Amino acid sequence: MEPPPPAKPSVTVADVARAAGVSKATAARVLGGYGVVSDTVRDKVQAAAKALDYRPNELARSMTTGRSGAIGVVVGDIENPFFSAAVRGITDVARAAGYTVILANSGEDIAAEKDAVRTLVAKRVDGLIVAPSRSREIDHLRDLQRSGRPLALLDRAIPELAVDTVTVDDREAAEAATRLLIEHGHRRLAYVTACDTPEHTYRDLADIHTASVRHRVEGFLGVCDTARIPSPAIRLGAIGREKTRQLAIDLLRSPEPPTAILASDSVIALEIFKVVRELGLSIPDDLSLITFHDADWTSVTSPPVTVIDQPVHQLGTAVAELLVSRLKGYTGPARHRVIPTRLVARASVAMRDPAGTPL
């Protein structure tokens, strides 16, 4: 086997300067995009850089200009179609504005989120977009805010933090879905969500530290209380396929299983859908199902699933637009944009009589 060819040495600013016949400082100004030079000199330097296949040292440039040209993004679960669609919206706006995106996944773990933020700051990103996993552990976000580096929040508001935020109206969306189930005669209702408490147990709203989850539970319980629904179930801990599967099995095999479930996202809903079939049950005859997020699979199953359609790509574009405006010099007060949702009724919700029997 022939030995690999020797590595080609990197082309430096000094090499470009010599080829263009200008000083190193002048070449650095052209290549770094700062300072003032004549059009003639700029053309000569750019032509020399192209001929030599010059590649800028991004770290060196960021140290010189104070800008990296990168935005850091921290999301809860990149495997969740919700976050992947939001990130697509973010990258579309960032690219158009001349920024690259560095993505980190927290796994909804606060320690991992803090590590991700530290890593992105160390990489000198110009600003950050974070979907915070906790609304009560925010010292790392406060530090970011105090540092002057622009920060925007995706999907989850933190009222104590005066930063740009984009969310949907989670409480109203959960209320609309719960009302639909009750109007169809359901009295044994359950809300299933990923967990943000160590014990995976729900005692009261104080247990829930993620703002969007808390607002949805508030909406669900508020409508149940108004309709005098006895003991609506809240199930936390639907993290990952196996835990969600076991939670669904336990729920559906309980002495008084729910006749309807509202799932907090399409990943959870899909596992519930699978378990229903595994147990020999059917949707909607044995269980009615509604989920947040209109994932692709929800419209092609048999039956198709009723969803709360969140304009996720729009969430991503909106939060990126707010951050980019900060990076371009906007210094006004913090802005909170609320994107409306839409309840899309399909065939996964059945009518029940007062005794709970399907009609």
Side-chain angles (χ1 to χ4, degrees), residues 3-4 21 40 58 70 129 131 176 256 259 273 281 315 335-336 338 349:
T40 301
E58 297 295 344
I129 295 172
E256 291 193 334
T259 63
F273 198 101
L281 305 174
L315 279 170
R335 298 157 292 180
H336 184 185
V338 179
V349 177

Side-chain angles (χ1 to χ4, degrees), residues 9-28 31 44-49 51-52 54:
S10 299
V11 177
T12 66
V13 174
D15 295 329
V16 175
R18 279 193 297 271
V22 300
S23 70
K24 181 178 177 181
T26 298
L31 298 172
K44 288 171 62 177
V45 171
Q46 290 176 343
L52 294 172
Y54 169 77

Side-chain angles (χ1 to χ4, degrees), residues 13 28 50 53 60 87 95 112 155 180 183 218 220 245 250 295 302-303 323 356:
V13 174
K50 183 177 181 181
D53 194 24
V87 169
R95 186 182 300 111
D155 185 48
L180 179 67
E183 288 167 359
E218 286 173 346
F220 172 75
R245 177 181 175 276
D250 293 344
S302 181
L323 186 68

Side-chain angles (χ1 to χ4, degrees), residues 306-317:
T306 296
V307 299
I308 298 165
D309 181 19
Q310 301 165 285
V312 186
H313 185 272
Q314 187 181 351
L315 279 170
T317 59

